[in-house]
């Protein structure tokens, strides 16, 4: 089976993990801070916080921005459910903004229209989660302009996008947002097994994230409500979680991030090959905006809805692990039940969903395998 995405593990990665197993610390040692520094430096952000998944990262990102009951979080319907679930963990509500028909990221026009209406109705969001689908940044400059005008916070869900660029700068620099979140699940660009990270430039947010990651407990006397009793003393100052990343996971991340640029380069090369080989067919190929350099987590093609299933099934029958990203979140039974969303609420997303297929794209995809995939697509699409 050629999967749609796959991790790349080298002998150096394996020995980095083994080194930690021989060391004094399996958790709360020196490797997590090393990984965090590498992420912050790579992204050009002041601070990075490593956690055990992007889902945990989204949760504490929302909490650090004080999302709570009665608040609204908006995101794109075309994302993994975690981008929306984080609001529900905080007992807040979720609403969606339809996508741009070319980039499949949140549409800035739809966002502005919805904000104008929400201002009249008194239903403005507290947080917008901007999802950088496939590794291409949303139009962050415009999103930032709207966030200043309407007074909401912005979290970038860059689970697909580490290594990507926007206006020539690394995604994750938080130039236009409060917090950026990354995922290191094995199918993503680089992996720690399971894992995630947040970047921010705000020292207050950073302090809260550190507390929320580890039980709300601190050993820093500056953060305590009273003087410490002695050197043994710690204090719980808020309700946090155990969302820490282990040293074992971080060691894999430190080793992987060294290859990030070459990995993104290879993904872009393979994407260009698909672009070229599929260009004559009646397929909508990925569109990358001039402001963007995509990390190319996913290569998504759109075919007419009436042949999507046939193409999907034929590729699967030939051991090609295609997938669909994503089923619009507002059509999930859970979301329909608690928020009364209906088919037709976000028509651009729903049309997209009927036509999309993610075809394999990963660092070690061979050109032979890629040719095989292209050949099968040519059998169905003309
Ligand atoms: C993978 C993914 C997540 C969740 O990441 P985990 O690290 O598996 O928790 C969140 N949002 C998007 C867009 C994703 O693709």
């Amino acid at each position: 089976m050629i999967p749609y995405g796959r991790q790349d593990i080298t002998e150096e990665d394996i020995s980095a993990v083994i080194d930690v197993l021989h060391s004094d610390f399996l958790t709360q040692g020196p490797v997590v801070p090393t990984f965090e520094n590498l992420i912050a430096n790579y992204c050009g952000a002041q601070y990075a916080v490593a956690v055990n998944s992007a889902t945990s990262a989204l949760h504490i990102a929302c909490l650090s921005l004080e999302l709570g009951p009665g608040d609204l979080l908006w995101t794109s319907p075309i994302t993994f459910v975690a981008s929306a679930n984080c609001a529900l963990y905080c007992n807040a509500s979720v609403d969606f903004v339809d996508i741009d028909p070319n980039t499949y990221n949140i549409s800035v026009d739809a966002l502005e229209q919805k904000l104008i209406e929400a201002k009249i109705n008194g239903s403005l969001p507290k947080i917008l989660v901007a999802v950088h689908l496939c590794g291409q940044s949303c139009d962050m400059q415009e999103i930032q302009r709207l966030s200043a005008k309407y007074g909401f916070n912005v979290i970038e869900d860059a689970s697909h996008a580490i290594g990507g660029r926007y206006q020539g700068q690394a995604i994750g620099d938080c130039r236009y947002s409060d917090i950026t979140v990354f995922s290191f699940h094995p199918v993503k660009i680089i992996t720690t097994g399971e894992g995630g990270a947040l970047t921010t430039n705000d020292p207050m947010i950073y302090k809260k994230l550190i507390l929320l990651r580890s039980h709300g407990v601190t050993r820093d006397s500056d953060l305590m409500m009273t003087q410490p009793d002695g050197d043994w003393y710690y204090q719980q100052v808020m309700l946090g979680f155990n969302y820490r990343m282990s040293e074992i996971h971080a060691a894999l991340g430190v080793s992987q991030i060294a290859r990030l640029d070459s990995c993104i380069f290879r993904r872009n090369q393979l994407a260009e090959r698909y672009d070229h080989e599929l260009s004559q067919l009646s397929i909508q190929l990925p569109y990358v905006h001039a402001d963007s350099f995509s990390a190319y987590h996913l290569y998504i093609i759109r075919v007419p809805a009436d042949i999507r299933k046939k193409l999907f099934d034929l590729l699967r029958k030939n051991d090609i692990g295609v997938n669909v990203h994503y089923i619009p979140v507002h059509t999930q039974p859970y979301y329909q039940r608690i928020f009364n969303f209906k088919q037709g609420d976000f028509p651009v997303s729903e049309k997209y969903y009927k036509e999309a297929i993610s075809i394999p794209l990963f660092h070690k995809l061979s050109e032979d395998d890629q040719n095989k995939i292209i050949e099968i697509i040519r059998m169905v699409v003309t």
Side-chain angles (χ1 to χ4, degrees):
M1 170 88 118
I2 307 169
Y4 79 87
R6 187 180 199 287
Q7 72 274 15
D8 172 44
I9 301 293
T10 62
E11 287 306 316
E12 286 93 76
D13 292 342
I14 292 166
S15 56
V17 171
I18 290 171
D19 286 348
V20 165
L21 292 171
H22 287 303
S23 79
D24 290 338
F25 296 99
L26 301 186
T27 189
Q28 295 174 289
V31 186
V32 166
T34 299
F35 186 42
E36 290 173 336
N37 284 332
L38 288 168
I39 294 167
N41 287 340
Y42 184 91
C43 295
Q46 285 294 314
Y47 308 102
V49 177
V51 289
N52 59 0
S53 72
T55 303
S56 304
L58 285 161
H59 183 193
I60 62 173
C62 288
L63 288 173
S64 75
L65 297 170
E66 289 169 3
L67 188 74
D71 292 330
L72 260 168
L73 176 147
W74 288 4
T75 189
S76 166
I78 301 301
T79 185
F80 186 55
V81 291
S83 313
N85 286 345
C86 54
L88 308 185
Y89 300 155
C90 304
N91 298 307
S93 294
V94 175
D95 201 353
F96 299 95
V97 179
D98 214 346
I99 59 169
D100 177 280
N102 297 312
T103 64
Y104 320 141
N105 281 332
I106 209 159
S107 157
V108 169
D109 291 338
L111 175 62
E112 184 153 29
Q113 202 50 49
K114 196 173 172 103
L115 286 165
I116 291 168
E117 288 162 23
K119 189 166 182 193
I120 295 164
N121 303 333
S123 59
L124 284 168
K126 184 168 175 71
I127 293 177
L128 177 78
V129 174
V131 182
H132 302 326
L133 197 77
C134 304
Q136 162 159 240
S137 177
C138 296
D139 186 352
M140 291 309 299
Q141 188 171 355
E142 279 300 290
I143 287 173
Q144 199 268 335
R145 181 181 69 77
L146 293 170
S147 81
K149 183 166 175 190
Y150 291 93
F152 57 88
N153 292 111
V154 179
I155 299 171
E156 297 176 65
D157 183 345
S159 292
H160 299 183
I162 195 164
R165 294 183 160 262
Y166 174 67
Q167 296 179 341
Q169 308 289 318
I171 290 175
D173 70 354
C174 299
R175 195 157 80 267
Y176 298 118
S177 68
D178 298 284
I179 299 170
T180 302
V181 165
F182 297 110
S183 173
F184 306 123
H185 181 281
V187 85
K188 306 290 165 72
I189 307 266
I190 56 170
T191 189
T192 59
E194 293 275 5
L198 310 97
T199 55
T200 185
N201 295 321
D202 183 326
M204 293 309 294
I205 290 175
Y206 174 68
K207 278 189 188 148
K208 279 197 228 169
L209 293 173
I210 295 289
L211 282 169
L212 287 162
R213 168 175 70 177
S214 194
H215 309 283
V217 159
T218 185
R219 290 180 177 277
D220 178 352
S221 58
D222 290 345
L223 299 178
M224 291 182 189
M225 307 292 150
T226 56
Q227 285 302 308
D229 290 346
D231 280 351
W232 64 86
Y233 196 66
Y234 61 83
Q235 203 168 62
Q236 184 181 348
V237 295
M238 66 187 341
L239 182 62
F241 306 87
N242 181 353
Y243 283 168
R244 292 187 305 260
M245 176 179 279
S246 81
E247 295 282 288
I248 305 166
H249 295 81
L252 183 53
V254 169
S255 185
Q256 290 253 317
I257 203 172
R259 299 199 302 285
L260 176 54
D261 281 334
S262 68
C263 169
I264 300 291
F265 179 76
R266 183 62 186 150
R267 285 172 178 274
N268 272 271
Q269 267 186 337
L270 290 164
E272 268 174 43
R273 260 192 110 235
Y274 274 137
D275 287 347
H276 183 257
E277 297 298 321
L278 300 174
S279 64
Q280 301 307 315
L281 308 179
S282 50
I283 289 178
Q284 184 174 339
L285 298 174
Y287 164 80
V288 180
H289 189 275
D291 275 346
S292 279
F293 174 65
S294 178
Y296 263 116
H297 165 52
L298 297 173
Y299 192 94
I300 296 176
I301 60 173
R302 284 175 75 172
V303 297
D306 56 345
I307 63 166
R308 198 266 300 266
K309 187 166 189 305
K310 183 175 168 204
L311 177 60
F312 186 95
D313 291 347
L314 185 68
L315 286 159
R316 279 277 178 101
K317 207 161 21 160
N318 283 276
D319 266 348
I320 295 162
V322 285
N323 226 312
V324 173
H325 297 92
Y326 289 93
I327 301 156
V329 181
H330 72 281
T331 68
Q332 293 290 353
Y334 184 78
Y335 276 85
Q336 299 216 328
R337 191 163 73 239
I338 60 171
F339 292 115
N340 292 313
F341 291 116
K342 315 180 290 306
Q343 286 288 335
D345 281 349
F346 303 99
V348 186
S349 297
E350 290 165 29
K351 180 172 192 313
Y352 160 87
Y353 166 62
K354 294 192 179 97
E355 300 171 352
I357 301 182
S358 304
I359 61 176
L361 181 66
F362 50 93
H363 192 169
K364 287 291 160 65
L365 176 65
S366 70
E367 296 194 355
D368 281 352
D369 282 346
Q370 201 183 19
N371 290 341
K372 185 176 157 196
I373 296 158
I374 291 161
E375 222 170 275
I376 295 168
I377 294 171
R378 285 193 177 137
M379 286 161 62
V380 176
V381 190
T382 50

